[in-house]
Amino acid sequence: MITVKRNWYCICLSVLSLLVAAGPATSVAKTIQLKFAHPYPAMHAQHKGVLVPWAKKIEAASNGALKIRFIPGGALGKPGQAYAMVEKNVADIGWDIADYSPGRFPLTTVIELPFMVNTAEKASVALWKTYEQFPEFQKEYADTKLLMLSCHAPGVFATVKKPIKTLADLKGMKIKTASSFTTSALQLFGAVPVTQPVTETYTSLERGVLDGVVMPYDGMVIFKVDELLKYYTPADFYSMVFWIAINKKKFASLPDDLKQVIEENSGLALSRAHGKSFDESYASMKQICIKSGMQEVNFPEAEMQKLVDLTTPLKEKWVQEMEAKGLPGRAVLDAVTRYLNE
């Protein structure tokens, strides 16, 4: 009888030990879901081609401990609201255009100066390296944990009726602008910059409110303005900056091994991948524009140089504005230029 009781006690003790051991293992294995919100459609080339594969890579590298759930299409906020959503933890991760938060990321705008960018991949790498070099640049995103900076492929001139072949052709033309720098440049060219939401561009071109746009090819296709535009003039005119960031407290709450997974798959590598994807979509979208009937015209070298010379003073103006704010404008411009030329 004593033996039976002793055996039963041993069995109970063994079961209890197994349950205690199983507790922490179950907790560790629990999946952490991160909400990734942005204002762009799920069909966006970079959503499909970069963000979704990145999320799958994060999940695989964490053995399923991290899972990213996308909330695209502006379901949680319009363009320009994503950074605040990440700060306030409405979303864990966000993606948007830096220029949609005017004044918030001053040093970031260095790459948006005219005629800086000829490929999105090279520009994205140069911008991330510059960000890593300057504490003042890093401070712009100090309220979050920055995961990526990238640029879209260069914007080009495109028009409905009159092709742009010379600087003189731009005089008096009503052109949809893209940023404060493109606005300043268009004014120097004698054009009339028109600021409006890109969603209104199709109607404005159709009604003659606009004569043309400055826009990358993918933008022309996404907003279907390639159906109305007849001519395009490549010029590597401008680019804009995209960021990806995660809520600072959310990131800090993650176990160290999961933080490492995110960091190893972000930063320079993610910036490069994002830029490369923009270059790839640039090429494919250009072909769609050509198939829709758009014809290429080009600036002769001398005319192209006129545009570059006219906008060169904007760089010095940018430096002065940054340094008036106590920021290292000249050093940042020199650094990003050096990285662009590597």
Side-chain angles (χ1 to χ4, degrees), residues 70-177:
F70 287 103
I71 308 174
L76 291 185
K78 299 176 183 178
Q81 296 178 343
Y83 196 81
M85 289 193 303
V86 174
E87 277 183 300
K88 297 172 183 177
N89 207 26
V90 176
D92 298 310
I93 308 175
W95 173 50
D96 205 355
I97 292 177
D99 208 54
Y100 286 170
S101 303
R104 182 152 199 175
F105 310 112
L107 290 173
T108 303
T109 61
V110 64
I111 205 84
E112 296 180 1
L113 287 161
F115 305 112
M116 290 282 286
V117 172
N118 54 24
T119 77
E121 181 179 357
K122 184 179 287 187
S124 301
V125 168
L127 191 62
W128 184 265
K129 287 182 176 180
T130 306
Y131 163 81
E132 287 189 313
Q133 184 176 332
F134 292 92
E136 297 89 346
F137 198 160
Q138 295 162 25
K139 191 175 179 181
E140 294 186 0
Y141 300 90
D143 295 325
T144 64
K145 165 73 174 174
L146 189 66
L147 302 181
M148 183 219 72
L149 289 171
S150 75
C151 303
H152 67 57
V156 303
F157 297 93
T159 53
V160 176
K161 294 180 180 179
K162 184 176 76 172
I164 298 172
K165 299 179 181 179
T166 66
L167 174 61
D169 290 333
L170 281 160
K171 189 172 182 179
M173 293 191 78
K174 301 185 292 290
I175 306 290
K176 185 203 174 308
T177 188

Side-chain angles (χ1 to χ4, degrees), residues 44 126 192 287:
H44 194 290
V192 180
Q287 292 306 309

